[in-house]
Each structure stands twice: as structure tokens, then as C-alpha cells.
Amino acid sequence: MEVYTEKQQIVTKINALKAKKLSLGLVPTMGALHEGHLQLVKKALENNNKVVVTIFVNPTQFDNQEDLAKYPRTLDSDITLLKTVSKTNILVYAPSVQDMYEGHTVSQKFDFDGLEFEMEGKFRNGHFDGVGTIVKRFLEIIKPDNAYFGEKDFQQLAIIKKLVEKYHIPVTILGCKIHRESNGLAMSSRNTRLKPNYKAAAPFIYEILKTAKEHFGTKSANKVQEWVENQFKKHDLLKLEYFLIADAETLKPIKQKSNIKVYRAFIAVYADDIRLIDNIALN
Ligand code: PAF
């Protein structure tokens, strides 16, 4: 498997692939790969001749320096895992911070038409400017035909679609379903940092989302929200940061249920110092 750490080298390689008219998929990751990432890579391999997997823990999207420092970095095992999917058609690009930011490790400021102010945007200062900066940079360097993102970060997916639209970037953005452990916990690189008692407790998050979905069929959004908040008040280990039901397109919190709109419930929970997010389609 080819592993690149320098922009110039990957650009040369990409140009050679493009000259052969090969199609290119991009799967941006921060590493610590799990089955959810592998599903994205497999989907990308179905639709493209070659797939670039970027592995880069992007400092500008962290508002918490401790979270950045503790973020798992497992390049060797990530490569081993990717080899199980394809030894020939995956290219890894794992640049250094210097290679990506050239000594100027700051975000560009974006206007995502308000998508950036909801949910994660309220709780993670500057997060989406950091995500926008790095994803735009990867799209400009790799110039993929298609790029793949998981729906676990549903707001991020919406923001990247907006980024591509606003900057007229010629790429198709594809969202992939949330991949879950057999107990329902949404797969995340952060799960590896959960202490055993928190790991055992964490599937509660998806249980609550599923029941909230049932309640949404018969109850008002406010009543569902109240019910969810009460469930977490009673929980010994998990601390709810937010639960809300929003319009799946605008991401604005629901005001009045409408039959013609599509809704989704979003949740962020602390399991000790590990922040977990999840979401579910409601209708
Ligand atoms: O979802 C992630 O892992 C990151 O936010 C991304 C898209 C790779 C940008 O750093």
C-alpha cells in the first residue's frame, strides 16, 4: 500500500492517476480507524478506481487542547486495517501539521448559511471552521470525483455539502449510514478511550434515541425532549449535553411538527471526559 506524507508527492501521484482517466474517491479521516471507516472505504472502492484515505488529526477543529492531545494516533494499525480491504487500490495520505498548514495553523472563517451555529457549533467553538478548512484543503489537493462522510457527524456532512456548493468544488459528497456496534453504540474513534464501565453504559444513548423516535410518533417534540432529559437525569454515569429534534435540512430546532418536513434527533453525551454524539432519522 502506498503511504504519502508530503503534499507534493501525493499531488504527483494524483496527476498520474488523472492522466490515466482513473476515477478517484476520498475518505477523509482522523485515523484510529474502525469498521465504520472501513465501510466508507469499501463504498468508495465500489464507485471509484482508486481511493485516497487521509489520516490527519486536524488541530484547528479542536477547541479543547486536552482532547486534541489525547486523540488516538494509530497510523501503523490503521494501515494494517486498510490492507485488509485492498492492498492495491487504496492510497494513504498521512501528512504532518506542517505539511498541511505550512507554519500557519489557523482556520479560514466560513459562512455556512447558519448550519454552523446549531448543535455542535454551539458547544465546540470554531469547530466547523477547522473542519471546513481541512476538508477544503484535501478536496483541492486530491481533486476526488467523490468524497465519503459518515452520517454519525450529520451536521458535518451538511456543512461539507454547503462548502462544496458555495465554493463550486467539483465533487460529489456522499453520506454513509451510521455503523454501530452490536449493542447499538455508534462506532467512533473515541470509543477506544472509554473506561469499561462507561463503555458498558454507552449503548444507553442509542436505546434512548430509538425510544425517542417511537415517542415522536405520538408526542410533541417538547414532550420527547423532556422525556429524554429526564432519562439522563436518572443516569449515574452518562451526562447529557444536548438532545434536540431538528429539521434535517436546515438543522434548526423544530418549532411545530409538519408532515412535509423531515426530522432528525441529535444527541451529545459525556461518558466521563469522552464526548459521544449520535443521531437518528425520525420520519
Ligand atoms: O470526521 C472526521 O473525522 C473529521 O472531522 C474530518 C472530516 C476527517 C476532518 O478532519
Short mmCIF file of all heavy atoms in Angstrom, two decimals, residues 28-30 37 56 58 61 71 127 131 134-135 149 153 156 160, ligand 1:
data_model
loop_
_atom_site.label_atom_id
_atom_site.label_comp_id
_atom_site.label_asym_id
_atom_site.label_seq_id
_atom_site.Cartn_x
_atom_site.Cartn_y
_atom_site.Cartn_z
N PRO A 28 -11.86 11.15 4.00
CA PRO A 28 -11.07 11.88 5.00
C PRO A 28 -11.31 11.31 6.39
O PRO A 28 -12.45 11.08 6.77
CB PRO A 28 -11.59 13.32 4.93
CG PRO A 28 -12.51 13.36 3.76
CD PRO A 28 -13.00 11.96 3.55
N THR A 29 -10.24 11.06 7.13
CA THR A 29 -10.38 10.53 8.49
C THR A 29 -9.35 11.19 9.41
O THR A 29 -8.40 11.81 8.93
CB THR A 29 -10.14 9.00 8.58
OG1 THR A 29 -8.72 8.76 8.61
CG2 THR A 29 -10.75 8.25 7.42
N MET A 30 -9.56 10.99 10.70
CA MET A 30 -8.53 11.41 11.66
C MET A 30 -7.84 10.17 12.23
O MET A 30 -7.23 10.22 13.29
CB MET A 30 -9.16 12.26 12.77
CG MET A 30 -9.74 13.56 12.20
SD MET A 30 -9.78 14.94 13.34
CE MET A 30 -10.86 14.31 14.59
N HIS A 37 -15.25 3.34 9.41
CA HIS A 37 -14.39 3.91 8.37
C HIS A 37 -14.23 2.93 7.22
O HIS A 37 -14.25 3.30 6.05
CB HIS A 37 -12.98 4.21 8.92
CG HIS A 37 -12.93 5.30 9.93
ND1 HIS A 37 -12.57 5.09 11.25
CD2 HIS A 37 -13.15 6.63 9.82
CE1 HIS A 37 -12.59 6.23 11.90
NE2 HIS A 37 -12.93 7.19 11.07
N PHE A 56 -5.36 12.30 9.36
CA PHE A 56 -4.77 13.55 9.86
C PHE A 56 -5.62 14.06 11.02
O PHE A 56 -6.81 14.34 10.85
CB PHE A 56 -4.76 14.59 8.73
CG PHE A 56 -4.18 15.91 9.15
CD1 PHE A 56 -2.84 16.02 9.50
CD2 PHE A 56 -4.97 17.06 9.18
CE1 PHE A 56 -2.29 17.24 9.90
CE2 PHE A 56 -4.43 18.28 9.57
CZ PHE A 56 -3.09 18.36 9.92
N ASN A 58 -6.67 16.82 12.82
CA ASN A 58 -6.64 18.24 12.43
C ASN A 58 -6.72 19.16 13.65
O ASN A 58 -7.79 19.30 14.25
CB ASN A 58 -7.83 18.49 11.49
CG ASN A 58 -7.98 19.95 11.15
OD1 ASN A 58 -6.97 20.67 11.05
ND2 ASN A 58 -9.21 20.40 10.98
N GLN A 61 -9.68 21.96 14.40
CA GLN A 61 -11.08 21.68 14.68
C GLN A 61 -11.32 21.30 16.15
O GLN A 61 -12.43 20.97 16.52
CB GLN A 61 -11.65 20.62 13.73
CG GLN A 61 -11.13 19.21 13.93
CD GLN A 61 -11.61 18.29 12.82
OE1 GLN A 61 -11.15 18.34 11.69
NE2 GLN A 61 -12.56 17.42 13.13
N TYR A 71 -6.29 12.50 21.51
CA TYR A 71 -6.93 11.84 20.38
C TYR A 71 -6.05 10.67 19.92
O TYR A 71 -4.83 10.84 19.73
CB TYR A 71 -7.16 12.82 19.22
CG TYR A 71 -8.25 12.32 18.31
CD1 TYR A 71 -9.58 12.61 18.56
CD2 TYR A 71 -7.95 11.50 17.23
CE1 TYR A 71 -10.59 12.09 17.76
CE2 TYR A 71 -8.95 10.98 16.42
CZ TYR A 71 -10.26 11.29 16.70
OH TYR A 71 -11.27 10.77 15.91
N HIS A 127 -15.21 24.88 15.71
CA HIS A 127 -15.05 23.50 15.19
C HIS A 127 -15.26 23.44 13.68
O HIS A 127 -14.44 22.87 12.94
CB HIS A 127 -16.02 22.58 15.92
CG HIS A 127 -16.07 21.18 15.40
ND1 HIS A 127 -14.99 20.34 15.48
CD2 HIS A 127 -17.04 20.49 14.74
CE1 HIS A 127 -15.30 19.18 14.92
NE2 HIS A 127 -16.53 19.25 14.46
N VAL A 131 -12.99 22.23 10.48
CA VAL A 131 -13.37 21.12 9.58
C VAL A 131 -13.41 21.64 8.14
O VAL A 131 -12.86 21.01 7.22
CB VAL A 131 -14.75 20.53 9.99
CG1 VAL A 131 -15.25 19.56 8.92
CG2 VAL A 131 -14.66 19.82 11.33
N ILE A 134 -9.86 22.18 6.63
CA ILE A 134 -9.07 20.99 6.27
C ILE A 134 -9.73 20.20 5.13
O ILE A 134 -9.05 19.72 4.23
CB ILE A 134 -8.78 20.10 7.52
CG1 ILE A 134 -7.59 19.21 7.24
CG2 ILE A 134 -9.96 19.26 7.94
CD1 ILE A 134 -6.30 19.92 7.12
N VAL A 135 -11.06 20.12 5.16
CA VAL A 135 -11.73 19.35 4.10
C VAL A 135 -11.56 20.09 2.77
O VAL A 135 -11.27 19.46 1.74
CB VAL A 135 -13.21 19.10 4.45
CG1 VAL A 135 -13.95 18.50 3.26
CG2 VAL A 135 -13.32 18.16 5.66
N PHE A 149 -18.50 10.61 3.67
CA PHE A 149 -18.53 11.02 5.08
C PHE A 149 -19.64 10.25 5.79
O PHE A 149 -20.68 9.97 5.20
CB PHE A 149 -18.83 12.53 5.18
CG PHE A 149 -17.76 13.39 4.57
CD1 PHE A 149 -17.78 13.66 3.21
CD2 PHE A 149 -16.73 13.89 5.35
CE1 PHE A 149 -16.78 14.44 2.64
CE2 PHE A 149 -15.73 14.67 4.78
CZ PHE A 149 -15.75 14.95 3.42
N ASP A 153 -21.68 12.07 11.99
CA ASP A 153 -21.45 13.52 12.06
C ASP A 153 -22.36 14.18 11.02
O ASP A 153 -21.91 14.71 10.01
CB ASP A 153 -19.98 13.82 11.78
CG ASP A 153 -19.08 13.19 12.82
OD1 ASP A 153 -19.12 13.60 13.97
OD2 ASP A 153 -18.35 12.23 12.47
N GLN A 156 -21.79 17.82 10.28
CA GLN A 156 -20.56 17.98 9.48
C GLN A 156 -20.85 17.66 8.00
O GLN A 156 -20.41 18.39 7.10
CB GLN A 156 -19.49 17.04 10.03
CG GLN A 156 -18.29 16.87 9.13
CD GLN A 156 -17.18 16.06 9.78
OE1 GLN A 156 -16.45 16.59 10.59
NE2 GLN A 156 -17.04 14.81 9.43
N ILE A 160 -20.35 20.18 4.91
CA ILE A 160 -19.44 19.90 3.79
C ILE A 160 -20.18 20.02 2.46
O ILE A 160 -19.64 20.54 1.48
CB ILE A 160 -18.73 18.54 4.00
CG1 ILE A 160 -17.72 18.75 5.13
CG2 ILE A 160 -18.02 18.08 2.73
CD1 ILE A 160 -17.21 17.52 5.77
O1 PAF B 1 -14.96 13.38 10.71
C1 PAF B 1 -13.73 13.47 10.84
O2 PAF B 1 -13.03 12.51 11.13
C2 PAF B 1 -13.07 14.82 10.64
O3 PAF B 1 -13.89 15.85 11.08
C3 PAF B 1 -12.62 15.07 9.19
C4 PAF B 1 -13.81 15.12 8.24
C5 PAF B 1 -11.67 13.98 8.76
C6 PAF B 1 -11.90 16.41 9.09
O4 PAF B 1 -10.77 16.43 9.89
#
